[in-house]
Amino acid sequence: MDTYEAGLVQRIEEYKRRLCSIFIPPDPSPADLRALESELDLLYTNLIYDYTEVRTRFEDVQRSIEIVLKGTYEGKNDKERTANAYQAARAYPQTLDTGELIHINLFELESRLRRQYNVLYDTVWAIKSKSDRIITLRSTLNIEKDLI
């Protein structure tokens, strides 16, 4: 786990906590709606870059796995070649920023990134859903105001 990913785990927990604390009351005032919009906008602004970074890393790992599995031709027969390909994906060489060569399990990395991606995706979806609800409530308040 690199430094970015370690910080990301903490930020994801913070995003989840902040989202759960944003409650839309059943009968909000226009001032309530403005405050809620501001909170949602700030949360969205903070997490969208992490969402994009995780999505990109997840897609890159998936592509790497595909390349390793399709590009490994060592072995006497198909079964042996497939086993060698999976083994290569489990011990994929990666050079760190320090120049140190390590071996990572692409499947484990893919699994971690998938979880992070899904949590961030769902958080973005929930923010948009709450934003849509605020727009609806604002429209309803405007219609009620016009009727009075």
Side-chain angles (χ1 to χ4, degrees):
M1 183 180 299
D2 62 15
T3 308
Y4 173 80
E5 192 175 351
L8 176 67
V9 170
Q10 293 175 331
R11 288 192 305 277
I12 286 175
E13 288 306 312
E14 177 65 14
Y15 298 147
K16 288 171 22 181
R17 187 196 62 73
R18 285 174 56 192
L19 180 64
C20 289
S21 74
I22 299 173
F23 173 73
I24 300 174
D27 194 20
S29 69
D32 292 335
L33 294 177
R34 283 191 298 276
L36 290 167
E37 277 179 324
S38 179
E39 286 181 65
L40 288 171
D41 181 62
L42 182 60
L43 177 57
Y44 181 82
T45 300
N46 288 336
L47 80 78
I48 197 63
Y49 296 108
D50 281 329
Y51 170 76
T52 302
E53 179 68 25
V54 168
R55 183 184 67 207
T56 301
R57 286 180 176 210
F58 179 57
E59 291 168 354
D60 288 349
V61 168
Q62 286 181 316
R63 197 169 15 266
S64 294
I65 289 172
E66 183 180 332
I67 290 168
V68 169
L69 293 181
K70 288 183 178 178
T72 303
Y73 298 109
E74 298 170 9
K76 298 175 192 168
N77 54 42
D78 283 341
K79 190 174 183 177
E80 193 174 297
R81 283 190 286 276
T82 299
N84 287 337
Y86 277 86
Q87 189 58 35
R90 286 187 193 97
Y92 188 76
Q94 183 177 26
T95 305
L96 300 176
D97 293 338
T98 61
E100 178 186 0
L101 180 68
I102 62 169
H103 291 86
I104 60 171
N105 184 327
L106 290 177
F107 299 115
E108 289 176 4
L109 180 58
E110 179 190 35
S111 180
R112 263 196 334 266
L113 289 171
R114 179 183 296 111
R115 277 191 298 279
Q116 293 167 351
Y117 171 75
N118 286 333
V119 168
L120 289 171
Y121 177 87
D122 289 345
T123 304
V124 168
W125 181 87
I127 289 170
K128 289 182 179 187
S129 178
K130 286 183 182 227
S131 294
D132 290 346
R133 185 159 175 236
I134 289 170
I135 291 168
T136 301
L137 288 169
R138 181 169 290 192
S139 296
T140 303
L141 286 176
N142 287 335
I143 290 170
E144 288 174 352
K145 184 179 80 174
D146 290 344
L147 291 175
I148 297 176

